[in-house]
Amino acid sequence: MEKVFDWLAKGCAIVAGVVVVVITLLTTWSIVGRWLFSSPITGDTEVIEFAMAVVVAGCLPICQWRGDNIIVDFFTTRASARTRARLDRLGALLVAVMMGLIGWRTVVAIFDQKASGSVTMLLQWPEWIAYALMAPPLIVTAAMGLYTGLTGRNGAVAGDFGDDPVAALLRKETRA
């Protein structure tokens, strides 16, 4: 299961990275076109909005899987490693619940947007497509959060930024 999650996390991150490059090129092209030829790309902001939804959703799985989410440890700095590990597992379960709810509502939105025929203003693109591109990474993130919360394991490996004493303790507990 961990290899599948690792593959999915990397795949989503690669897609998100490619989309960021496309956004950059599109933005540059539109600005240069506006500046030199008084002809920006029509609907560039709509495309960028769609693309950013994909980027944000696409980066969530790798952050969750590698344990690279931002944490606020102000209240837990004096807690034992075991307590922090348990709180991390609880946090992963909460991520699973939230991403599950958001993923579920995103899937519902796909069908709602498709049924209503909602389209973007300038390009007339069906809005359900953006939701459809966001749903898989959200659901994958929920599954990863559930797995991490239940097993205490994630995809953090030695040398990753996500490798910290709490993650090491989690790996030690699960191997024993």
Side-chain angles (χ1 to χ4, degrees):
M1 186 58 117
E2 291 179 19
K3 287 186 182 200
V4 171
F5 281 151
D6 196 55
W7 182 82
L8 287 169
K10 288 176 183 176
C12 288
I14 289 168
V15 168
V18 169
V19 173
V20 166
V21 170
V22 169
I23 289 171
T24 304
L25 294 173
L26 177 68
T27 303
T28 303
W29 184 9
S30 187
I31 290 169
V32 169
R34 180 178 292 124
W35 183 55
L36 292 178
F37 310 111
S38 295
S39 178
I41 296 173
T42 302
D44 59 346
T45 55
E46 291 177 357
V47 174
I48 291 168
E49 288 171 2
F50 264 52
M52 283 307 299
V54 173
V55 169
V56 170
C59 289
L60 291 173
I62 200 145
C63 288
Q64 177 59 38
W65 183 238
R66 292 196 174 174
D68 289 338
N69 292 313
I70 296 172
I71 60 169
V72 179
D73 59 357
F74 177 77
F75 297 106
T76 61
T77 53
R78 293 194 174 139
S80 69
R82 183 175 300 277
T83 299
R84 288 194 312 268
R86 287 183 179 144
L87 288 172
D88 283 347
R89 288 173 80 162
L90 175 62
L93 290 172
L94 291 173
V95 165
V97 169
M98 290 308 300
M99 289 297 111
L101 289 171
I102 294 169
W104 165 55
R105 294 309 302 168
T106 301
V107 170
V108 170
I110 293 168
F111 296 105
D112 286 348
Q113 293 294 318
K114 194 168 184 177
S116 72
S118 182
V119 295
T120 62
M121 188 183 308
L122 297 174
L123 297 176
Q124 297 295 299
W125 284 4
E127 291 184 1
W128 68 266
I129 294 172
Y131 291 95
L133 294 171
M134 290 170 44
L138 293 172
I139 294 166
V140 166
T141 303
M144 290 173 174
L146 182 63
Y147 180 82
T148 300
L150 294 176
T151 67
R153 297 195 310 237
N154 62 19
V157 294
D160 277 354
F161 291 114
D163 192 33
D164 60 23
V166 175
L169 179 64
L170 286 174
R171 282 192 300 278
K172 183 178 177 183
E173 284 182 352
T174 58
R175 289 184 187 147

